[in-house]
Amino acid sequence: MVETRFDDSDLGTTESVFSVGNGYLGLRGNYEESRDFHANGTFVNGFHETWPIQHAEEAFGFAKVGQTIVNAPDAKVIRLYVDDEPLELSAADLVEYERSLDFRTGVLSRHVVWRTPSGKRVQVDSTRMVSFHQRHVAVMTFEVTLLDEAAPIIISSQVINRQDADRGASVEMAKMAADFDPRKANGFEHRVLEPENDVASSEGVLPDDRMALRYKCANSGMSMALAVDHDFESVDAHHHEVQRSDDLLRAVYLVDAQPGNTIRLTKTVSYYTARVVPTSELLDRCTRTLDRLRAEGLETMRRRQREWLSDFWERSDVEVGGQPALQQAVRWNLFSIAQASARADGSGIPAKGVTGSGYGGHYFWDTEIYVMPFLTYTSPTAARNALRFRHELLDSARVRARALAQRGALYAWRTINGEEASAYYAAGTAQYHIDADIAFALSQYVGATGDYEFLDRAAVDILVETARLWADLGFWRDENGGTFHIHGVTGPDEYTTVVNDNLYTNVMARYNLRRAAEAVRFIEANRPENFREMAARVRLRDGEVDEWERCADGMMIPFDEHIGIHPQDAHFLEREMWDLGHTPVEKRPLLLHYHPLVIYRFQVLKQADVVLALFLRGDEFTLEQKKADFDYYDPITTGDSTLSAVVQSIVAAEVGYHDLALRYFHAALFVDLADRHANTADGVHVASTGGVWSALVAGFGGFRAHDQGTWYLDPRLPDGWDHLTFRLTLRGTRVRVTVREDELDLEVEDGTGELTFDVRGTATTVAPGSPATVALDGHGPRIDGEPKNPVGTRRADGTVITATVPSGD
């Protein structure tokens, strides 16, 4: 991805999309000089501060402690002075400018030729890389060459603790939080990072130009240490000095530079964080890491980076034939998932990855539903790590369930440390469906990998405790052959809250209950010793599994016979229609312009809700039901959430709206690259990037895995695409799937296993050395145009109402 001119009008967006990260450590795409910026940022996944949530009116069980990711000390800063004049891009006379992010190397590069106020031309070339191989490391280079005349040059390499520089919220965070927007992070009113530097021992001025800082978060108690190495090269006369305070380190190099001689600075940084480890121990880890990297050298780091990414693209790439612009955007989205998840290891995957502070650095259901499919089918080790993190939060989920007077476990809607951090329960805690989303991701992973060890030791515990939650939360109407209902919950659509029998919740809860029962019976039948250990561990009661199956079989799945659709909830069709067609553009997204109670009165969706259920549990609905539901809900879905377009694209492709599916795909593909929701400045929308993969593979590729160990392919290749190629890793074997207009090719790229796919009803087996080709008869169902709401402004009972925008607009 290449930028060929400097433009400070979109600094926030470019800082996010030019970020580099590895899932643990992330550096925003700020310029080295750190003078022109929207929000300077360096983020470490899970490194957070806590703060008391102040409710206007308290009630039992409300979230008590907020959590916000901390903007870590920024080591990106390298400032340049020529003839004592600073390089500041917005004011500079730039003869040449180019910045690029290379998806093959993971390196952000910049090339500038600057004409100084005195007319001297100066070439500046810089690189920045966060290592995928070395989880805790970032490395930067900065080269300066005078092209015309000699001049004195100063290079000031800095580490700045920006967040605490003014003993309060950072300037950029204060600006971000100034206007109401629940998607942004909270600022702090107290000093967050308390220094633990040992000035007496001159810890910040270590041998060989190494500098270090240590901090502890004031409230959360989390600790951090970072250390920086400098390697300076110049044939010209030079000297350097080091300056230090608790919030600032400077290594300043002064050079009597001659034209044609390149000055080169290599800056290597190591960050370590922990919940309870002393900062002195973390600093020891930093120094050992830097010692090892110094011995290996920069070229070794870069070679390992290229090798890691080469392996990533071999198993993860999706090729869109004949569409080079789309291809480039697809690869940026896939690269962004890697940067958000690859080395998250023992942490979750934040909604913004490590590219910004949006959503406070919290983990949501986004991971399980939108990111996990990509990881499960292309990077199973990363998927396992993400699911292990959920298992580590299981005790916190048990505590949260008890606080809401329920058995089992209830995962926090938004969290970093496992505690609920959502202050607005109606669109937060009430989204109980997160339990089923996690259970779904677990089941998907086990089905794809056959990792029964993980099932026995961790996954089954989550399945059991979440099943208990549903069995306890719901209730029976007429025990004898009655129905099982779940009331007082919120589904994915946050424009309709605290409802009864939300369809998505009930469908996913039913799946959760059944999968828990199946898993327990499977372990009991195949590994009795593991079953006994598990039963003791979770205190499994006699009759519990039978109860889960009865609840699943009796689950209420709303369906309106009159209209012929699945209502989003028990009373959704009783509400008045919101007239989206006459809602001014400047009033979008609705949540920023209307009181929640206004929105809740109407049939209007923030994002796909029922339609998401049609995708995830598609085997439980007929094609006719899917089309009817899509026709009803699509016209009243605002798409105010970036989670929506990918799902609408997938289901549109399945029911036959091929042109619409492609338009929704484009909308999702460019969510961040085109800043379509006007908040990319807060960080990349990681769930949307994961959803792009699903739109390609599940939407146009038609891949489904509804049953454990059974895989389906029913492709819908868009017009104008020569082919679509993607990879799937199943039970340790990687298969390449290529869809063309009239055929589908399967070939094993890696592994020794034999795989069987159901390709439009035909069982097709592929094995190493034995590729398979299946003829495709057309595109499947195809509908020209867009869905038309079949009921218009009728209520469920058939009476006519007037569709209006709320009073005053």
Side-chain angles (χ1 to χ4, degrees), residues 725-802:
T725 300
F726 55 92
R727 284 89 178 157
L728 298 167
T729 298
L730 301 166
R731 304 298 172 100
T733 295
R734 186 174 75 235
V735 62
R736 184 178 69 242
V737 182
T738 300
V739 179
R740 296 185 178 86
E741 184 177 2
D742 56 356
E743 67 180 18
L744 180 144
D745 296 330
L746 299 169
E747 183 172 358
V748 172
E749 289 188 332
D750 186 58
T752 60
E754 179 180 279
L755 299 173
T756 299
F757 292 85
D758 182 316
V759 183
R760 291 190 178 173
T762 300
T764 305
T765 300
V766 59
S770 299
T773 298
V774 181
L776 298 177
D777 182 15
H779 294 271
R782 184 179 187 96
I783 304 169
D784 294 326
E786 299 183 11
K788 304 299 181 184
N789 190 328
V791 298
T793 55
R794 286 181 295 163
R795 294 188 187 275
D797 62 3
T799 59
V800 177
I801 63 171
T802 301

Side-chain angles (χ1 to χ4, degrees), residues 354-385:
V354 283
T355 65
S357 61
Y359 293 108
H362 293 160
Y363 316 128
F364 294 79
W365 71 306
D366 303 25
T367 299
E368 281 71 30
I369 297 302
Y370 292 89
V371 181
M372 281 298 298
F374 171 81
L375 299 180
T376 292
Y377 294 115
T378 67
S379 303
T381 299
R384 193 180 199 271
N385 286 336

Side-chain angles (χ1 to χ4, degrees), residues 157-159 204 211-213 226 243-245 247-251:
S157 175
Q158 304 180 12
V159 178
M211 301 187 294
L213 288 172
L226 65 95
Q243 304 164 358
R244 173 197 165 171
S245 68
D247 293 318
L248 177 64
L249 296 175
R250 282 197 188 100

Side-chain angles (χ1 to χ4, degrees), residues 411-432:
Y411 278 90
W413 176 244
R414 56 188 300 172
T415 190
I416 297 178
N417 61 14
E419 297 180 15
E420 179 62 81
S422 177
Y424 186 57
Y425 72 88
T429 300
Q431 297 199 55
Y432 287 76

